[in-house]
Amino acid sequence: MNSRMTVKMAKDRLAKSGLEATDHRVRVLMAVGNTTHPTTVPEILELVRVSRDINRVTVYRILDLLVEHAVLNRLGLGEKSQRFCLREMDSPGEHPHFHCTRCDRYLCLDAPSLPIDRGALARLALDIDHVEIHLEGICPACQGKESLSDSGKESD
Ligand SMILES: [Zn+2]
Ligand SMILES: [Zn+2]
């Protein structure tokens, strides 16, 4: 999940979702698209500000819009704890997330979506429009194992 999102990719994605590719939208989408973990609002603000002057309210509004148009996933509900990551284009489901309870890091899991028995939910007369799969535990780094990305530590 290291694919870098270019300006062109961001514009294409906005167009496919029926959104006009304004400069600010492109910046916000790229900030999320180029971060490998689910991104917090402060992180997004920092990334966006580096290149352009854009205010907080505008960023929040763009994030809401992108979530509404299924470009981004929103994790967490409180304003402080919410995080954003890219949503796959053609999948109605959302990828699962892992939260490390020790270091508070979040990871997007590149795993096929876990099965959900929609039939059973329908029998309960629940009309589901949002599914968030959230796994908790201890990440490899906190377990003292090599992290997924770094390797080649062998010296001697
Ligand atoms: Zn951890
Ligand atoms: Zn994610």
Side-chain angles (χ1 to χ4, degrees):
M1 252 189 266
N2 262 337
S3 57
R4 230 178 100 69
M5 180 173 263
T6 61
V7 174
K8 188 181 178 306
M9 284 161 72
K11 284 185 173 170
D12 285 352
R13 184 62 200 265
L14 289 166
K16 278 186 193 139
S17 305
L19 292 167
E20 196 191 327
T22 65
D23 200 45
H24 285 169
R25 288 174 188 168
V26 168
R27 296 282 149 195
V28 171
L29 179 53
M30 284 177 71
V32 177
N34 286 320
T35 306
T36 50
H37 58 267
T39 325
T40 62
V41 175
E43 285 172 327
I44 294 167
L45 287 170
E46 209 181 297
L47 288 164
V48 167
R49 272 216 191 99
V50 172
S51 47
R52 209 150 295 244
D53 191 39
I54 169 172
N55 75 50
R56 245 175 98 83
V57 177
T58 307
V59 170
Y60 274 107
R61 233 183 257 140
I62 292 172
L63 288 169
D64 284 342
L65 184 79
L66 295 180
V67 170
E68 253 171 58
H69 286 255
V71 177
L72 299 181
N73 291 319
R74 186 202 305 267
L75 290 70
L77 293 172
E79 187 163 303
K80 286 207 180 117
S81 61
Q82 63 184 347
R83 287 159 201 269
F84 298 85
C85 67
L86 273 186
R87 183 151 173 174
E88 291 81 5
M89 192 65 198
D90 298 309
S91 79
E94 297 173 22
H95 55 254
H97 292 96
F98 177 83
H99 174 220
C100 176
T101 51
R102 202 166 288 173
C103 66
D104 203 30
R105 213 184 317 208
Y106 282 77
L107 301 169
C108 293
L109 297 183
D110 200 0
S113 48
L114 303 174
I116 291 171
D117 186 350
R118 287 184 184 265
L121 297 171
R123 282 195 292 279
L124 297 171
L126 301 173
D127 181 13
I128 310 294
D129 55 23
H130 176 79
V131 174
E132 190 173 316
I133 298 170
H134 183 97
L135 311 173
E136 292 205 318
I138 312 292
C139 76
C142 290
Q143 293 172 58
K145 292 181 184 161
E146 281 298 304
S147 91
L148 314 154
S149 48
D150 336 307
S151 55
K153 209 180 124 197
E154 251 101 346
S155 59
D156 79 331

